[in-house]
Amino acid sequence: MPRKEVGNPANTNCLIASKSAPTIPKDNFSCLTRLDHNRAKSQIALKVGVTAKDVKNCIIWGNHSSTQYPDVNHAKVKIQGKYTGVYEAVKDDNWLKGGFITTVQQRGAAVIKARKLSSAMSAAKAICDHVRDIWFGTPEGEFVSMGVISDGNSYGVPDDLIYSFPVVLSKDKTWKFVEGLPINDFSREKMDLTAKELVDEKETAVEFLSSA
């Protein structure tokens, strides 16, 4: 049975939970980055003037924190019945490499500041999306973001981290990395930055637990 971590710091909590239950396969543990994924889709939809359902294959790389990297280099948006690349549809590279990223990274803090409350309903919707895809699989031609064990990935992310990757899920409740996506220099820097934060978090957690 898959295990899912939604408390914060989600990625490192999930990693420690996995290490505390060594008889359970690492692949059965995942943490929630679907809220960030959904926010990325919504920002693109608002910019283009479509619904979030018309946006697919956004990626959240890394940590569920302000270092996460919302990546739309491989995302597509449906306009008048046809899918096109997000960069082509938005036609604003500066926003996609600047304001879009920071908005998604800081959306949770912005909601709390505005409402004095967390975005509980958005988080609940993201949990439902996450669990639905675990049970029923991802639609053909689509992938989603999920914090999973980084062992064996092909994107240069260190092993032994719970890191958000693009994944596809099958109806047997297993997941696979989406392989072969080209990574440009801009993305590489962002992905490495959030990986470093996760390495630091892991080291801090291990040090704390070993002294407890």
Side-chain angles (χ1 to χ4, degrees), residues 40-41 43-45 47-48 50 54-59 61 69-79 82-102 182-188 190:
K41 289 179 59 176
Q43 288 298 312
I44 297 300
K47 190 74 169 179
V48 178
V50 298
D54 293 320
V55 183
K56 67 177 184 178
N57 297 350
C58 295
I59 302 170
W61 297 100
Y69 171 43
D71 177 10
V72 292
N73 282 288
H74 314 287
K76 297 184 181 298
V77 57
K78 185 164 67 175
I79 302 174
K82 294 183 179 180
Y83 278 104
T84 187
V86 164
Y87 269 81
E88 181 181 350
V90 171
K91 297 181 174 64
D92 188 346
D93 289 14
N94 288 335
W95 180 74
L96 288 170
K97 292 183 176 181
F100 162 71
I101 292 174
T102 55
I183 304 298
N184 59 32
D185 290 344
F186 180 85
S187 295
R188 180 78 270 158
K190 298 289 188 183

Side-chain angles (χ1 to χ4, degrees), residues 21-32:
T23 61
I24 300 174
K26 293 179 182 179
D27 288 355
N28 284 20
F29 288 84
S30 63
C31 82
L32 188 75

Side-chain angles (χ1 to χ4, degrees), residues 7 11 13 16-17 71 79 93 100 106 110 115-116 127 134 157 160-161 163-164 179 187 191:
N11 300 58
N13 282 354
I16 298 304
D71 177 10
I79 302 174
D93 289 14
F100 162 71
Q106 300 172 10
R115 299 180 63 238
K116 310 299 186 231
I127 293 168
I134 288 175
V157 176
D160 201 34
L161 297 176
Y163 186 103
S164 183
E179 302 285 4
S187 295
M191 291 165 65

Side-chain angles (χ1 to χ4, degrees), residues 35 39 103-113 117-119:
L35 177 56
R39 286 167 172 166
T103 296
V104 176
Q105 288 174 331
Q106 300 172 10
R107 182 61 180 166
V111 169
I112 291 171
K113 182 177 180 180
L117 295 167
S118 67
S119 51

